[in-house]
Amino acid sequence: MIGKQVRIVLILVIVCLVIGGSVSYFAAYTQPMIERNAREALKKAVNEVLPGVDSFEEIVPGDSFRVYKGKDAGGNTIGYAIYRVGVGFQDKIALIFGVDPDMTKIFALNILDQKETPGLGAKITDDKAFLGFWKEKSLTSPISYAKPPRPADALSDSQINAISGATISSDAVVKIVNAAVEEARGRIGGES
Amino acid sequence: MSKQNTLSQEFLKGLWKENPNLVQLLGMCPMLAVTNEVVNAIGMAGAVTFVLLASALIISLIRSWIPAQVRIPTFIVIIAGFVTMADRYLAAFYPDLSKALGPFVPLIVVNCVILGRMEAFASKNKPGRSVIDALGMSVGFGIVLLIMGAVRELLGNGTILGAQILSPNWYDPMMVFILPAGAFLTLGLLIGVSNLVQKKLAGR
């Protein structure tokens, strides 16, 4: 009977070794491509929120808060791209936005990841309904939102429109951005 | 078994008579979760097809060696290996699709359609026959996913594969169909219709 038990162990070990080996080979083969995809996604995101950026470097690393310093082709700092993960209505919202070097205004905002209600909260990714209002907003006072929505020219310098029917999601984004600006000012205030 | 199925019967049973979703009611979680858009349904069907075919081939090839006492762990290790490869492949070549499918690709490991076919078929049949069986099951699984994806995307968003079919000018999308509740409604109706057809066919 010993022989039978040894055989069981041996066959399981062989199967695990062969499968484990093939998986690690395949993982090593795809690793560079997966990393390249992540890099390209980041580059695209930074390009969209920092107009005219030529190169950027990570100056504050982290999991839920990161800051990238963007430079133009001449090497001048044109601003920072701030990445922040915060609490949304259903799950975390990850976003990135670009600010000028003095952090007095937002160039643009982009939502990278969200699981808000499709058709309602998920409109935070919609340019016309939401993201468009964020362009060139002033950061001299914290961002606030108008509810009910107003015409774009009736909004104040640091005001955006909430999405009707999705105030919680709109409010979540506003809070994440305001918190991120606070944090960024504290972390890199002395550096520029 | 008095009479063995012909190879084409082996393939066709997965499409209708033993359809994994409509008749066996296996693999429900990925199917309910990722069919909110046609493109996700295609991605999931493709990944399941790959895993099912590859595992069926390997397991039927080594079926006589696998000790009966540890057959399930052996199947799971082999299936998990192929699932990990499929997951890495999607992440490397189709990053957007991989992001949309989220955790449901790794979860194919516990998709009962796959383990079910290994236990019920691939571990008892020759490689050729097992692959045909796996192909039939994958196509059956894929068709149901596509129908679910098409119905839900069309009713819930007015589009199919992102192309506008029902104009927003006169069609107000029924949001519920892209939410989880819509998955249950669509699946229930689909199974109802298939049972109705089955009854009609049997009564003839």
Side-chain angles (χ1 to χ4, degrees), chain B residues 19 21-22 30-32 34-46 49 138-154 159-161 186 190:
Chain B
N19 184 292
N21 305 115
L22 299 178
M31 147 149 144
L32 292 168
V34 303
T35 51
N36 54 350
E37 283 179 18
V38 177
V39 61
N40 294 351
I42 295 175
M44 177 51 70
T49 303
S138 315
V139 174
F141 182 79
I143 289 176
V144 176
L145 250 69
L146 277 184
I147 296 176
M148 294 256 310
V151 169
R152 292 181 63 195
E153 193 182 337
L154 187 66
T159 59
I160 283 190
L161 280 172
T186 316
L190 214 55

PDB file of all heavy atoms in Angstrom, chain B residues 19 21-22 30-32 34-46 49 138-154 159-161 186 190:
ATOM      1  N   ASN B  19     -26.844  21.947 -22.877  1.00  0.00           N
ATOM      2  CA  ASN B  19     -26.224  23.278 -22.826  1.00  0.00           C
ATOM      3  C   ASN B  19     -25.802  23.622 -21.395  1.00  0.00           C
ATOM      4  O   ASN B  19     -26.596  23.524 -20.466  1.00  0.00           O
ATOM      5  CB  ASN B  19     -27.218  24.325 -23.341  1.00  0.00           C
ATOM      6  CG  ASN B  19     -26.594  25.695 -23.410  1.00  0.00           C
ATOM      7  OD1 ASN B  19     -26.294  26.289 -22.385  1.00  0.00           O
ATOM      8  ND2 ASN B  19     -26.365  26.184 -24.596  1.00  0.00           N
ATOM      9  N   ASN B  21     -25.310  26.334 -19.741  1.00  0.00           N
ATOM     10  CA  ASN B  21     -26.015  27.383 -19.009  1.00  0.00           C
ATOM     11  C   ASN B  21     -27.491  27.109 -18.878  1.00  0.00           C
ATOM     12  O   ASN B  21     -28.058  27.226 -17.799  1.00  0.00           O
ATOM     13  CB  ASN B  21     -25.858  28.734 -19.720  1.00  0.00           C
ATOM     14  CG  ASN B  21     -24.415  29.082 -19.945  1.00  0.00           C
ATOM     15  OD1 ASN B  21     -23.968  29.159 -21.061  1.00  0.00           O
ATOM     16  ND2 ASN B  21     -23.703  29.235 -18.855  1.00  0.00           N
ATOM     17  N   LEU B  22     -28.122  26.738 -20.008  1.00  0.00           N
ATOM     18  CA  LEU B  22     -29.578  26.669 -20.008  1.00  0.00           C
ATOM     19  C   LEU B  22     -30.100  25.375 -19.429  1.00  0.00           C
ATOM     20  O   LEU B  22     -31.179  25.329 -18.859  1.00  0.00           O
ATOM     21  CB  LEU B  22     -30.113  26.841 -21.439  1.00  0.00           C
ATOM     22  CG  LEU B  22     -29.766  28.173 -22.110  1.00  0.00           C
ATOM     23  CD1 LEU B  22     -30.305  28.206 -23.529  1.00  0.00           C
ATOM     24  CD2 LEU B  22     -30.306  29.329 -21.303  1.00  0.00           C
ATOM     25  N   PRO B  30     -19.896  33.885 -13.641  1.00  0.00           N
ATOM     26  CA  PRO B  30     -19.274  34.738 -14.659  1.00  0.00           C
ATOM     27  C   PRO B  30     -20.321  35.206 -15.648  1.00  0.00           C
ATOM     28  O   PRO B  30     -20.296  36.334 -16.141  1.00  0.00           O
ATOM     29  CB  PRO B  30     -18.248  33.824 -15.333  1.00  0.00           C
ATOM     30  CG  PRO B  30     -18.645  32.452 -14.981  1.00  0.00           C
ATOM     31  CD  PRO B  30     -19.317  32.544 -13.649  1.00  0.00           C
ATOM     32  N   MET B  31     -21.291  34.318 -15.935  1.00  0.00           N
ATOM     33  CA  MET B  31     -22.259  34.653 -16.959  1.00  0.00           C
ATOM     34  C   MET B  31     -23.169  35.798 -16.503  1.00  0.00           C
ATOM     35  O   MET B  31     -23.483  36.687 -17.280  1.00  0.00           O
ATOM     36  CB  MET B  31     -23.048  33.402 -17.235  1.00  0.00           C
ATOM     37  CG  MET B  31     -24.410  33.659 -17.594  1.00  0.00           C
ATOM     38  SD  MET B  31     -24.831  32.377 -18.674  1.00  0.00           S
ATOM     39  CE  MET B  31     -26.419  32.232 -18.143  1.00  0.00           C
ATOM     40  N   LEU B  32     -23.578  35.808 -15.239  1.00  0.00           N
ATOM     41  CA  LEU B  32     -24.417  36.905 -14.765  1.00  0.00           C
ATOM     42  C   LEU B  32     -23.602  38.183 -14.641  1.00  0.00           C
ATOM     43  O   LEU B  32     -24.085  39.287 -14.893  1.00  0.00           O
ATOM     44  CB  LEU B  32     -25.034  36.549 -13.409  1.00  0.00           C
ATOM     45  CG  LEU B  32     -26.056  35.418 -13.450  1.00  0.00           C
ATOM     46  CD1 LEU B  32     -26.382  34.959 -12.040  1.00  0.00           C
ATOM     47  CD2 LEU B  32     -27.316  35.852 -14.156  1.00  0.00           C
ATOM     48  N   VAL B  34     -20.613  39.307 -16.180  1.00  0.00           N
ATOM     49  CA  VAL B  34     -19.894  40.020 -17.236  1.00  0.00           C
ATOM     50  C   VAL B  34     -20.694  40.206 -18.512  1.00  0.00           C
ATOM     51  O   VAL B  34     -20.150  40.645 -19.512  1.00  0.00           O
ATOM     52  CB  VAL B  34     -18.561  39.336 -17.603  1.00  0.00           C
ATOM     53  CG1 VAL B  34     -17.697  39.209 -16.369  1.00  0.00           C
ATOM     54  CG2 VAL B  34     -18.780  38.012 -18.263  1.00  0.00           C
ATOM     55  N   THR B  35     -21.998  39.887 -18.511  1.00  0.00           N
ATOM     56  CA  THR B  35     -22.717  39.996 -19.773  1.00  0.00           C
ATOM     57  C   THR B  35     -23.411  41.346 -19.941  1.00  0.00           C
ATOM     58  O   THR B  35     -24.348  41.450 -20.708  1.00  0.00           O
ATOM     59  CB  THR B  35     -23.767  38.872 -19.908  1.00  0.00           C
ATOM     60  OG1 THR B  35     -24.559  38.875 -18.720  1.00  0.00           O
ATOM     61  CG2 THR B  35     -23.121  37.537 -20.087  1.00  0.00           C
ATOM     62  N   ASN B  36     -22.941  42.390 -19.242  1.00  0.00           N
ATOM     63  CA  ASN B  36     -23.608  43.687 -19.422  1.00  0.00           C
ATOM     64  C   ASN B  36     -23.267  44.331 -20.762  1.00  0.00           C
ATOM     65  O   ASN B  36     -23.955  45.229 -21.214  1.00  0.00           O
ATOM     66  CB  ASN B  36     -23.311  44.634 -18.257  1.00  0.00           C
ATOM     67  CG  ASN B  36     -21.842  44.795 -18.032  1.00  0.00           C
ATOM     68  OD1 ASN B  36     -21.037  44.065 -18.614  1.00  0.00           O
ATOM     69  ND2 ASN B  36     -21.474  45.752 -17.224  1.00  0.00           N
ATOM     70  N   GLU B  37     -22.189  43.878 -21.393  1.00  0.00           N
ATOM     71  CA  GLU B  37     -21.851  44.370 -22.731  1.00  0.00           C
ATOM     72  C   GLU B  37     -21.401  43.188 -23.583  1.00  0.00           C
ATOM     73  O   GLU B  37     -20.806  42.241 -23.069  1.00  0.00           O
ATOM     74  CB  GLU B  37     -20.701  45.384 -22.660  1.00  0.00           C
ATOM     75  CG  GLU B  37     -21.133  46.739 -22.171  1.00  0.00           C
ATOM     76  CD  GLU B  37     -19.949  47.692 -22.086  1.00  0.00           C
ATOM     77  OE1 GLU B  37     -18.916  47.411 -22.716  1.00  0.00           O
ATOM     78  OE2 GLU B  37     -20.081  48.688 -21.378  1.00  0.00           O
ATOM     79  N   VAL B  38     -21.661  43.295 -24.905  1.00  0.00           N
ATOM     80  CA  VAL B  38     -21.315  42.188 -25.790  1.00  0.00           C
ATOM     81  C   VAL B  38     -19.817  41.916 -25.769  1.00  0.00           C
ATOM     82  O   VAL B  38     -19.381  40.762 -25.747  1.00  0.00           O
ATOM     83  CB  VAL B  38     -21.792  42.486 -27.229  1.00  0.00           C
ATOM     84  CG1 VAL B  38     -21.376  41.377 -28.166  1.00  0.00           C
ATOM     85  CG2 VAL B  38     -23.298  42.649 -27.260  1.00  0.00           C
ATOM     86  N   VAL B  39     -19.015  42.985 -25.726  1.00  0.00           N
ATOM     87  CA  VAL B  39     -17.567  42.786 -25.823  1.00  0.00           C
ATOM     88  C   VAL B  39     -17.038  42.005 -24.620  1.00  0.00           C
ATOM     89  O   VAL B  39     -16.167  41.136 -24.749  1.00  0.00           O
ATOM     90  CB  VAL B  39     -16.838  44.135 -26.037  1.00  0.00           C
ATOM     91  CG1 VAL B  39     -17.060  45.071 -24.892  1.00  0.00           C
ATOM     92  CG2 VAL B  39     -15.355  43.922 -26.256  1.00  0.00           C
ATOM     93  N   ASN B  40     -17.604  42.246 -23.432  1.00  0.00           N
ATOM     94  CA  ASN B  40     -17.201  41.479 -22.251  1.00  0.00           C
ATOM     95  C   ASN B  40     -17.603  40.014 -22.390  1.00  0.00           C
ATOM     96  O   ASN B  40     -16.864  39.118 -21.982  1.00  0.00           O
ATOM     97  CB  ASN B  40     -17.854  42.047 -20.988  1.00  0.00           C
ATOM     98  CG  ASN B  40     -17.355  43.428 -20.665  1.00  0.00           C
ATOM     99  OD1 ASN B  40     -16.404  43.908 -21.283  1.00  0.00           O
ATOM    100  ND2 ASN B  40     -17.982  44.071 -19.710  1.00  0.00           N
ATOM    101  N   ALA B  41     -18.810  39.797 -22.967  1.00  0.00           N
ATOM    102  CA  ALA B  41     -19.275  38.427 -23.172  1.00  0.00           C
ATOM    103  C   ALA B  41     -18.326  37.686 -24.104  1.00  0.00           C
ATOM    104  O   ALA B  41     -17.976  36.523 -23.861  1.00  0.00           O
ATOM    105  CB  ALA B  41     -20.694  38.430 -23.738  1.00  0.00           C
ATOM    106  N   ILE B  42     -17.863  38.373 -25.154  1.00  0.00           N
ATOM    107  CA  ILE B  42     -16.931  37.735 -26.094  1.00  0.00           C
ATOM    108  C   ILE B  42     -15.620  37.388 -25.387  1.00  0.00           C
ATOM    109  O   ILE B  42     -15.092  36.286 -25.525  1.00  0.00           O
ATOM    110  CB  ILE B  42     -16.664  38.658 -27.309  1.00  0.00           C
ATOM    111  CG1 ILE B  42     -17.950  38.843 -28.125  1.00  0.00           C
ATOM    112  CG2 ILE B  42     -15.557  38.088 -28.188  1.00  0.00           C
ATOM    113  CD1 ILE B  42     -17.811  39.830 -29.268  1.00  0.00           C
ATOM    114  N   GLY B  43     -15.124  38.328 -24.594  1.00  0.00           N
ATOM    115  CA  GLY B  43     -13.871  38.084 -23.873  1.00  0.00           C
ATOM    116  C   GLY B  43     -13.985  36.897 -22.941  1.00  0.00           C
ATOM    117  O   GLY B  43     -13.115  36.018 -22.923  1.00  0.00           O
ATOM    118  N   MET B  44     -15.078  36.848 -22.184  1.00  0.00           N
ATOM    119  CA  MET B  44     -15.263  35.745 -21.239  1.00  0.00           C
ATOM    120  C   MET B  44     -15.415  34.426 -21.989  1.00  0.00           C
ATOM    121  O   MET B  44     -14.808  33.415 -21.624  1.00  0.00           O
ATOM    122  CB  MET B  44     -16.488  36.041 -20.361  1.00  0.00           C
ATOM    123  CG  MET B  44     -16.862  34.975 -19.370  1.00  0.00           C
ATOM    124  SD  MET B  44     -15.534  34.373 -18.310  1.00  0.00           S
ATOM    125  CE  MET B  44     -15.239  35.766 -17.252  1.00  0.00           C
ATOM    126  N   ALA B  45     -16.211  34.422 -23.073  1.00  0.00           N
ATOM    127  CA  ALA B  45     -16.410  33.190 -23.834  1.00  0.00           C
ATOM    128  C   ALA B  45     -15.078  32.703 -24.402  1.00  0.00           C
ATOM    129  O   ALA B  45     -14.773  31.503 -24.371  1.00  0.00           O
ATOM    130  CB  ALA B  45     -17.414  33.422 -24.959  1.00  0.00           C
ATOM    131  N   GLY B  46     -14.262  33.636 -24.893  1.00  0.00           N
ATOM    132  CA  GLY B  46     -12.966  33.256 -25.450  1.00  0.00           C
ATOM    133  C   GLY B  46     -12.070  32.641 -24.395  1.00  0.00           C
ATOM    134  O   GLY B  46     -11.450  31.597 -24.626  1.00  0.00           O
ATOM    135  N   THR B  49     -13.341  29.191 -23.472  1.00  0.00           N
ATOM    136  CA  THR B  49     -13.080  28.233 -24.543  1.00  0.00           C
ATOM    137  C   THR B  49     -11.636  27.736 -24.478  1.00  0.00           C
ATOM    138  O   THR B  49     -11.366  26.535 -24.526  1.00  0.00           O
ATOM    139  CB  THR B  49     -13.340  28.886 -25.915  1.00  0.00           C
ATOM    140  OG1 THR B  49     -14.668  29.365 -25.926  1.00  0.00           O
ATOM    141  CG2 THR B  49     -13.128  27.904 -27.027  1.00  0.00           C
ATOM    142  N   SER B 138     -18.071  24.821 -25.032  1.00  0.00           N
ATOM    143  CA  SER B 138     -17.623  26.203 -25.119  1.00  0.00           C
ATOM    144  C   SER B 138     -18.516  27.006 -26.050  1.00  0.00           C
ATOM    145  O   SER B 138     -18.868  28.152 -25.750  1.00  0.00           O
ATOM    146  CB  SER B 138     -16.200  26.307 -25.677  1.00  0.00           C
ATOM    147  OG  SER B 138     -15.374  25.378 -25.091  1.00  0.00           O
ATOM    148  N   VAL B 139     -18.862  26.398 -27.206  1.00  0.00           N
ATOM    149  CA  VAL B 139     -19.707  27.119 -28.148  1.00  0.00           C
ATOM    150  C   VAL B 139     -21.083  27.369 -27.525  1.00  0.00           C
ATOM    151  O   VAL B 139     -21.627  28.469 -27.597  1.00  0.00           O
ATOM    152  CB  VAL B 139     -19.819  26.353 -29.485  1.00  0.00           C
ATOM    153  CG1 VAL B 139     -20.815  27.025 -30.411  1.00  0.00           C
ATOM    154  CG2 VAL B 139     -18.457  26.291 -30.160  1.00  0.00           C
ATOM    155  N   GLY B 140     -21.628  26.347 -26.840  1.00  0.00           N
ATOM    156  CA  GLY B 140     -22.911  26.517 -26.160  1.00  0.00           C
ATOM    157  C   GLY B 140     -22.853  27.622 -25.127  1.00  0.00           C
ATOM    158  O   GLY B 140     -23.726  28.489 -25.064  1.00  0.00           O
ATOM    159  N   PHE B 141     -21.793  27.616 -24.328  1.00  0.00           N
ATOM    160  CA  PHE B 141     -21.586  28.641 -23.298  1.00  0.00           C
ATOM    161  C   PHE B 141     -21.468  30.026 -23.953  1.00  0.00           C
ATOM    162  O   PHE B 141     -22.119  30.980 -23.548  1.00  0.00           O
ATOM    163  CB  PHE B 141     -20.296  28.294 -22.536  1.00  0.00           C
ATOM    164  CG  PHE B 141     -19.938  29.220 -21.410  1.00  0.00           C
ATOM    165  CD1 PHE B 141     -20.577  29.121 -20.187  1.00  0.00           C
ATOM    166  CD2 PHE B 141     -18.931  30.156 -21.553  1.00  0.00           C
ATOM    167  CE1 PHE B 141     -20.234  29.949 -19.130  1.00  0.00           C
ATOM    168  CE2 PHE B 141     -18.582  30.998 -20.500  1.00  0.00           C
ATOM    169  CZ  PHE B 141     -19.239  30.889 -19.292  1.00  0.00           C
ATOM    170  N   GLY B 142     -20.654  30.086 -25.024  1.00  0.00           N
ATOM    171  CA  GLY B 142     -20.412  31.357 -25.714  1.00  0.00           C
ATOM    172  C   GLY B 142     -21.682  31.933 -26.317  1.00  0.00           C
ATOM    173  O   GLY B 142     -21.942  33.125 -26.206  1.00  0.00           O
ATOM    174  N   ILE B 143     -22.506  31.070 -26.943  1.00  0.00           N
ATOM    175  CA  ILE B 143     -23.732  31.562 -27.590  1.00  0.00           C
ATOM    176  C   ILE B 143     -24.657  32.179 -26.547  1.00  0.00           C
ATOM    177  O   ILE B 143     -25.189  33.276 -26.733  1.00  0.00           O
ATOM    178  CB  ILE B 143     -24.446  30.423 -28.348  1.00  0.00           C
ATOM    179  CG1 ILE B 143     -23.625  30.055 -29.581  1.00  0.00           C
ATOM    180  CG2 ILE B 143     -25.847  30.838 -28.759  1.00  0.00           C
ATOM    181  CD1 ILE B 143     -24.182  28.880 -30.353  1.00  0.00           C
ATOM    182  N   VAL B 144     -24.826  31.471 -25.413  1.00  0.00           N
ATOM    183  CA  VAL B 144     -25.722  32.005 -24.383  1.00  0.00           C
ATOM    184  C   VAL B 144     -25.171  33.340 -23.849  1.00  0.00           C
ATOM    185  O   VAL B 144     -25.918  34.300 -23.672  1.00  0.00           O
ATOM    186  CB  VAL B 144     -25.911  30.983 -23.243  1.00  0.00           C
ATOM    187  CG1 VAL B 144     -26.749  31.588 -22.134  1.00  0.00           C
ATOM    188  CG2 VAL B 144     -26.583  29.737 -23.775  1.00  0.00           C
ATOM    189  N   LEU B 145     -23.859  33.412 -23.636  1.00  0.00           N
ATOM    190  CA  LEU B 145     -23.265  34.665 -23.159  1.00  0.00           C
ATOM    191  C   LEU B 145     -23.497  35.799 -24.158  1.00  0.00           C
ATOM    192  O   LEU B 145     -23.821  36.919 -23.771  1.00  0.00           O
ATOM    193  CB  LEU B 145     -21.753  34.483 -22.938  1.00  0.00           C
ATOM    194  CG  LEU B 145     -21.317  34.498 -21.476  1.00  0.00           C
ATOM    195  CD1 LEU B 145     -21.827  33.252 -20.793  1.00  0.00           C
ATOM    196  CD2 LEU B 145     -19.822  34.602 -21.353  1.00  0.00           C
ATOM    197  N   LEU B 146     -23.335  35.473 -25.447  1.00  0.00           N
ATOM    198  CA  LEU B 146     -23.521  36.506 -26.473  1.00  0.00           C
ATOM    199  C   LEU B 146     -24.962  36.993 -26.503  1.00  0.00           C
ATOM    200  O   LEU B 146     -25.216  38.193 -26.599  1.00  0.00           O
ATOM    201  CB  LEU B 146     -23.150  35.953 -27.855  1.00  0.00           C
ATOM    202  CG  LEU B 146     -21.675  35.982 -28.191  1.00  0.00           C
ATOM    203  CD1 LEU B 146     -21.457  35.506 -29.616  1.00  0.00           C
ATOM    204  CD2 LEU B 146     -21.132  37.399 -28.035  1.00  0.00           C
ATOM    205  N   ILE B 147     -25.915  36.055 -26.421  1.00  0.00           N
ATOM    206  CA  ILE B 147     -27.319  36.464 -26.432  1.00  0.00           C
ATOM    207  C   ILE B 147     -27.599  37.349 -25.217  1.00  0.00           C
ATOM    208  O   ILE B 147     -28.181  38.435 -25.335  1.00  0.00           O
ATOM    209  CB  ILE B 147     -28.262  35.230 -26.416  1.00  0.00           C
ATOM    210  CG1 ILE B 147     -28.064  34.414 -27.693  1.00  0.00           C
ATOM    211  CG2 ILE B 147     -29.716  35.667 -26.298  1.00  0.00           C
ATOM    212  CD1 ILE B 147     -28.866  33.134 -27.731  1.00  0.00           C
ATOM    213  N   MET B 148     -27.129  36.906 -24.039  1.00  0.00           N
ATOM    214  CA  MET B 148     -27.338  37.705 -22.828  1.00  0.00           C
ATOM    215  C   MET B 148     -26.730  39.091 -22.994  1.00  0.00           C
ATOM    216  O   MET B 148     -27.341  40.110 -22.665  1.00  0.00           O
ATOM    217  CB  MET B 148     -26.667  37.031 -21.625  1.00  0.00           C
ATOM    218  CG  MET B 148     -27.256  35.717 -21.225  1.00  0.00           C
ATOM    219  SD  MET B 148     -28.274  35.801 -19.747  1.00  0.00           S
ATOM    220  CE  MET B 148     -27.264  36.645 -18.583  1.00  0.00           C
ATOM    221  N   GLY B 149     -25.480  39.127 -23.479  1.00  0.00           N
ATOM    222  CA  GLY B 149     -24.774  40.401 -23.642  1.00  0.00           C
ATOM    223  C   GLY B 149     -25.520  41.307 -24.611  1.00  0.00           C
ATOM    224  O   GLY B 149     -25.694  42.499 -24.363  1.00  0.00           O
ATOM    225  N   ALA B 150     -26.000  40.730 -25.731  1.00  0.00           N
ATOM    226  CA  ALA B 150     -26.674  41.532 -26.750  1.00  0.00           C
ATOM    227  C   ALA B 150     -27.983  42.086 -26.198  1.00  0.00           C
ATOM    228  O   ALA B 150     -28.282  43.275 -26.334  1.00  0.00           O
ATOM    229  CB  ALA B 150     -26.926  40.688 -28.001  1.00  0.00           C
ATOM    230  N   VAL B 151     -28.780  41.231 -25.538  1.00  0.00           N
ATOM    231  CA  VAL B 151     -30.071  41.680 -25.002  1.00  0.00           C
ATOM    232  C   VAL B 151     -29.845  42.784 -23.969  1.00  0.00           C
ATOM    233  O   VAL B 151     -30.479  43.843 -24.001  1.00  0.00           O
ATOM    234  CB  VAL B 151     -30.835  40.491 -24.366  1.00  0.00           C
ATOM    235  CG1 VAL B 151     -32.027  40.994 -23.575  1.00  0.00           C
ATOM    236  CG2 VAL B 151     -31.280  39.514 -25.433  1.00  0.00           C
ATOM    237  N   ARG B 152     -28.882  42.552 -23.051  1.00  0.00           N
ATOM    238  CA  ARG B 152     -28.691  43.511 -21.966  1.00  0.00           C
ATOM    239  C   ARG B 152     -28.113  44.824 -22.470  1.00  0.00           C
ATOM    240  O   ARG B 152     -28.529  45.898 -22.051  1.00  0.00           O
ATOM    241  CB  ARG B 152     -27.791  42.905 -20.888  1.00  0.00           C
ATOM    242  CG  ARG B 152     -28.456  41.756 -20.156  1.00  0.00           C
ATOM    243  CD  ARG B 152     -27.574  41.177 -19.095  1.00  0.00           C
ATOM    244  NE  ARG B 152     -27.271  42.143 -18.048  1.00  0.00           N
ATOM    245  CZ  ARG B 152     -26.305  41.992 -17.159  1.00  0.00           C
ATOM    246  NH1 ARG B 152     -25.540  40.933 -17.194  1.00  0.00           N
ATOM    247  NH2 ARG B 152     -26.098  42.915 -16.237  1.00  0.00           N
ATOM    248  N   GLU B 153     -27.150  44.747 -23.396  1.00  0.00           N
ATOM    249  CA  GLU B 153     -26.557  45.993 -23.886  1.00  0.00           C
ATOM    250  C   GLU B 153     -27.584  46.776 -24.706  1.00  0.00           C
ATOM    251  O   GLU B 153     -27.676  47.996 -24.606  1.00  0.00           O
ATOM    252  CB  GLU B 153     -25.308  45.696 -24.723  1.00  0.00           C
ATOM    253  CG  GLU B 153     -24.482  46.950 -24.977  1.00  0.00           C
ATOM    254  CD  GLU B 153     -23.249  46.721 -25.839  1.00  0.00           C
ATOM    255  OE1 GLU B 153     -22.767  45.575 -25.900  1.00  0.00           O
ATOM    256  OE2 GLU B 153     -22.787  47.683 -26.461  1.00  0.00           O
ATOM    257  N   LEU B 154     -28.388  46.045 -25.491  1.00  0.00           N
ATOM    258  CA  LEU B 154     -29.375  46.717 -26.341  1.00  0.00           C
ATOM    259  C   LEU B 154     -30.455  47.390 -25.498  1.00  0.00           C
ATOM    260  O   LEU B 154     -30.754  48.570 -25.682  1.00  0.00           O
ATOM    261  CB  LEU B 154     -30.004  45.703 -27.305  1.00  0.00           C
ATOM    262  CG  LEU B 154     -30.934  46.296 -28.352  1.00  0.00           C
ATOM    263  CD1 LEU B 154     -30.146  47.165 -29.308  1.00  0.00           C
ATOM    264  CD2 LEU B 154     -31.637  45.200 -29.123  1.00  0.00           C
ATOM    265  N   THR B 159     -27.243  50.100 -27.361  1.00  0.00           N
ATOM    266  CA  THR B 159     -26.140  49.851 -28.288  1.00  0.00           C
ATOM    267  C   THR B 159     -25.846  48.363 -28.379  1.00  0.00           C
ATOM    268  O   THR B 159     -26.265  47.580 -27.527  1.00  0.00           O
ATOM    269  CB  THR B 159     -24.844  50.545 -27.823  1.00  0.00           C
ATOM    270  OG1 THR B 159     -24.521  50.049 -26.518  1.00  0.00           O
ATOM    271  CG2 THR B 159     -25.012  52.049 -27.747  1.00  0.00           C
ATOM    272  N   ILE B 160     -25.120  47.966 -29.444  1.00  0.00           N
ATOM    273  CA  ILE B 160     -24.549  46.628 -29.510  1.00  0.00           C
ATOM    274  C   ILE B 160     -23.116  46.791 -29.959  1.00  0.00           C
ATOM    275  O   ILE B 160     -22.847  47.461 -30.962  1.00  0.00           O
ATOM    276  CB  ILE B 160     -25.335  45.712 -30.473  1.00  0.00           C
ATOM    277  CG1 ILE B 160     -26.621  45.245 -29.778  1.00  0.00           C
ATOM    278  CG2 ILE B 160     -24.496  44.507 -30.889  1.00  0.00           C
ATOM    279  CD1 ILE B 160     -27.372  44.168 -30.485  1.00  0.00           C
ATOM    280  N   LEU B 161     -22.186  46.233 -29.186  1.00  0.00           N
ATOM    281  CA  LEU B 161     -20.747  46.420 -29.429  1.00  0.00           C
ATOM    282  C   LEU B 161     -20.400  47.908 -29.520  1.00  0.00           C
ATOM    283  O   LEU B 161     -19.545  48.302 -30.297  1.00  0.00           O
ATOM    284  CB  LEU B 161     -20.302  45.707 -30.707  1.00  0.00           C
ATOM    285  CG  LEU B 161     -20.062  44.211 -30.558  1.00  0.00           C
ATOM    286  CD1 LEU B 161     -19.827  43.564 -31.917  1.00  0.00           C
ATOM    287  CD2 LEU B 161     -18.874  43.924 -29.645  1.00  0.00           C
ATOM    288  N   THR B 186     -32.848  38.528 -17.558  1.00  0.00           N
ATOM    289  CA  THR B 186     -32.548  38.014 -18.896  1.00  0.00           C
ATOM    290  C   THR B 186     -32.340  36.510 -18.857  1.00  0.00           C
ATOM    291  O   THR B 186     -32.869  35.773 -19.694  1.00  0.00           O
ATOM    292  CB  THR B 186     -31.293  38.697 -19.455  1.00  0.00           C
ATOM    293  OG1 THR B 186     -31.378  40.087 -19.190  1.00  0.00           O
ATOM    294  CG2 THR B 186     -31.158  38.464 -20.934  1.00  0.00           C
ATOM    295  N   LEU B 190     -34.572  33.701 -20.726  1.00  0.00           N
ATOM    296  CA  LEU B 190     -33.890  32.865 -21.709  1.00  0.00           C
ATOM    297  C   LEU B 190     -34.144  31.386 -21.416  1.00  0.00           C
ATOM    298  O   LEU B 190     -34.451  30.589 -22.318  1.00  0.00           O
ATOM    299  CB  LEU B 190     -32.393  33.176 -21.656  1.00  0.00           C
ATOM    300  CG  LEU B 190     -31.617  33.116 -22.949  1.00  0.00           C
ATOM    301  CD1 LEU B 190     -32.252  34.025 -23.981  1.00  0.00           C
ATOM    302  CD2 LEU B 190     -30.179  33.534 -22.711  1.00  0.00           C
TER     303      LEU B 190
END
